[in-house]
Amino acid sequence: MLDFDYSISTEVYFGTNKIGRIAKEIKKYGNRILFVYGQGSINKIGLYDEIVKILNDNGIIYEELSGVKPNPRIDSVRKGIEICKQNNLEFILAVGGGSVIDCAKAISAGFYYKGDPWDIFLRKAHVLESLPLGSVLTLAATGSEMNGNSVVSNTDTKQKLVISSDLLRPKFSVLDPNYTLSVPNNQTAAGVVDIFSHIIEQYFSPVKEAFLQDRMAEGILKTCIKYGPIALKEPENYEARANLLWAGSLALNGLLSYGKIGDWATHYIEHEVSAIYDVTHGVGLAILTPHWMEYVLNDSTAYKFKEYSRNVWGVEVSNPIMVSKEGINKTKEFFNSLGMPSTLQEIGVEEGSLKEMAKKAATFGELGSFQKLNKDDILSILKNAF
Ligand code: NZQ
Ligand code: ZN
């Protein structure tokens, strides 16, 4: 296990009616806020009215940034920064899924920066200061509610890039599973795949000795396998929603990666698919993850696949390559059982764009750590997934 400094600073309020906490939490940072949300789901479930009432009852002044799209755009970020500056806002409240929270984080990151916020995503500038933010999560998937990542798209340049800083971790997040009962099946499934993939990206690591982290990872993977199908069959099953919600946060709040090095190649490749085709993140991952697994499986990596196949899927075959392949098949079958497609072609990707995606994915160098991938490796994975 590698050395690490533990710091997961987000206060979490988990469960029914925890929304009541937001006024007290916000007031620690100020009285003038930006209220950020998406394209209407929070209105449909009554959450918008609930929040507005709490803000009004507590004398919190708010400006709104609505209409944040899935795969949030840098344009919304620019608009949010402008509203914050014009109105001297002191805090950002993000209410929605990962896209809304990521947009809020990018506003937070760009608020004190004098140039264009896209510079930060291009790594021309760093996050040195941020406007504090909090979240009310409505979809189990990204872990954004407890981490410092923000993923934003630029439709002009067809790029989807990530920034990461502890300064962007939400100060608090309300996780009330009741708000996720309305998530439609396609988004529920994509969310389960995203959680699953976050764990895989950390489980498959060049650091071999981190027994504890890997057993925790397997527990969260099994939670996805148990409760994903239940949430699809019974969308209003509280226990299923609650388990998935907490799984999503634990999968990417840092807990599983302390003492290890993550891989993240599949995520970077998926972001290139989303950047051009605006696909749902979890759908892209469901297609690419089994192909990444197949590509990196060899005699020297089979030990880890064997562990995965046995501990997560209960596969009992003695040959290390056979047992690994069986685990990969189980992964594919699981994603398909959630209604996920198997090929890039099915989601409208054109063969001609694969080269461009591979090149862009390798912009900052080789991907991965469990197995390093250059531009040609990435292209092979994309071709296999096509
Ligand atoms: O626009 P609204 O009305 O909010 O509707 C959303 C959207 O259409 C809807 N939705 C959310 N909660 C709902 C609901 N519909 C009904 N009932 C509810 N309770 O679901 C749709 C998808 O929402 P979105 O926020 O885009 O989903 P998700 O949470 O999966 O976020 C995906 C984004 O996060 C990025 C992805 O790349 C993608 O851009 N990621 C962020 C990460 C992070 N910050 O750490 C890591 C991830 O790997 C990922 O890259
Ligand atoms: Zn993800």
Side-chain angles (χ1 to χ4, degrees):
M1 201 187 292
L2 304 179
D3 297 347
F4 60 85
D5 297 332
Y6 179 99
S7 170
I8 302 177
S9 53
T10 305
E11 301 278 351
V12 172
Y13 300 103
F14 191 102
T16 304
N17 293 334
K18 290 292 173 98
I19 193 73
R21 293 291 307 225
I22 62 168
K24 192 174 162 207
E25 292 304 315
I26 291 170
K27 285 187 164 189
K28 289 180 185 167
Y29 304 95
N31 214 34
R32 305 173 62 82
I33 72 162
L34 180 69
F35 172 15
V36 185
Y37 56 98
Q39 298 188 296
S41 64
I42 69 160
N43 301 79
K44 285 190 199 139
I45 61 175
L47 181 55
Y48 175 86
D49 291 342
E50 216 174 335
I51 286 180
V52 164
K53 184 170 181 330
I54 293 171
L55 298 178
N56 287 334
D57 287 354
N58 287 278
I60 296 170
I61 296 154
Y62 63 92
E63 298 291 331
E64 295 188 22
L65 174 69
S66 61
V68 173
K69 294 186 173 137
N71 298 327
R73 313 295 201 258
I74 192 67
D75 299 341
S76 297
V77 175
R78 291 182 182 125
K79 200 168 148 193
I81 293 172
E82 205 179 303
I83 301 173
C84 287
K85 284 186 174 165
Q86 275 171 358
N87 297 280
N88 298 319
L89 302 183
E90 299 156 305
F91 189 84
I92 308 172
L93 179 67
V95 185
S99 294
V100 169
I101 303 173
D102 283 4
C103 178
K105 286 177 178 174
I107 295 167
S108 158
F111 179 76
Y112 287 106
Y113 176 61
K114 294 212 163 45
D116 181 52
W118 190 243
D119 291 350
I120 306 172
F121 287 86
L122 292 173
R123 304 185 190 183
K124 289 183 189 166
H126 299 287
V127 186
L128 301 174
E129 222 180 331
S130 66
L131 203 59
L133 77 140
S135 85
V136 179
L137 183 64
T138 63
L139 200 170
T142 62
S144 189
E145 66 278 7
M146 275 187 91
N147 68 40
N149 308 331
S150 167
V151 188
V152 170
S153 295
N154 185 329
T155 45
D156 295 335
T157 59
K158 289 202 183 336
Q159 283 169 301
K160 179 174 179 174
L161 299 175
V162 188
I163 55 172
S164 199
S165 163
D166 277 339
L167 291 170
L168 303 180
R169 283 190 195 258
K171 299 294 180 195
F172 68 85
S173 284
V174 173
L175 273 60
D176 181 341
N178 295 296
Y179 298 142
T180 68
L181 303 180
S182 57
V183 175
N185 271 7
N186 61 339
Q187 290 295 340
T188 299
V192 170
V193 174
D194 194 22
I195 299 168
F196 200 97
S197 166
H198 293 159
I199 305 164
I200 293 292
E201 299 272 25
Q202 297 162 93
Y203 187 83
F204 289 90
S205 162
V207 178
K208 291 188 177 169
E209 310 291 341
F211 182 90
L212 173 62
Q213 288 86 331
D214 285 353
R215 300 301 80 75
M216 291 194 290
E218 287 160 2
I220 309 174
L221 288 171
K222 285 180 179 175
T223 303
C224 294
I225 294 164
K226 177 174 167 72
Y227 284 111
I230 297 176
L232 290 183
K233 228 195 221 160
E234 304 162 28
E236 302 209 350
N237 185 315
Y238 181 90
E239 200 53 26
R241 294 296 194 177
N243 273 278
L244 291 174
L245 197 58
W246 193 221
S249 301
L250 294 181
L252 197 54
N253 67 0
L255 187 69
L256 300 183
S257 59
Y258 282 125
K260 299 188 76 181
I261 298 169
D263 186 84
W264 298 108
T266 314
H267 260 70
Y268 280 105
I269 301 173
E270 194 292 321
H271 286 168
E272 295 310 329
V273 180
S274 288
I276 300 181
Y277 293 99
D278 197 20
V279 303
T280 299
H281 175 59
V283 173
L285 291 171
I287 298 167
L288 292 167
T289 301
H291 288 287
W292 172 83
M293 287 179 162
E294 275 166 3
Y295 192 80
V296 303
L297 171 63
N298 56 46
D299 288 340
S300 61
T301 61
Y303 73 95
K304 194 70 194 174
F305 283 98
K306 191 171 119 189
E307 200 175 307
Y308 168 69
S309 304
R310 291 214 166 130
N311 295 350
V312 177
W313 295 106
V315 178
E316 283 305 336
V317 183
S318 56
N319 178 299
I321 292 287
M322 291 305 289
V323 73
S324 303
K325 286 192 172 161
E326 189 54 24
I328 298 173
N329 283 340
K330 294 267 183 203
T331 312
K332 255 189 220 171
E333 281 165 23
F334 175 58
F335 293 164
N336 291 341
S337 77
L338 299 175
M340 290 287 127
S342 312
T343 65
L344 293 173
Q345 220 168 346
E346 282 170 70
I347 58 168
V349 172
E350 295 138 306
E351 200 169 6
S353 61
L354 301 184
K355 252 191 184 161
E356 184 193 346
M357 289 190 236
K359 191 173 153 217
K360 280 167 70 189
T363 306
F364 299 113
E366 287 182 325
L367 296 184
S369 63
F370 180 66
Q371 184 95 329
K372 296 232 183 266
L373 302 176
N374 63 27
K375 194 162 53 78
D376 296 333
D377 297 316
I378 299 166
L379 183 59
S380 300
I381 292 173
L382 284 164
K383 280 184 175 165
N384 294 344
F386 184 71

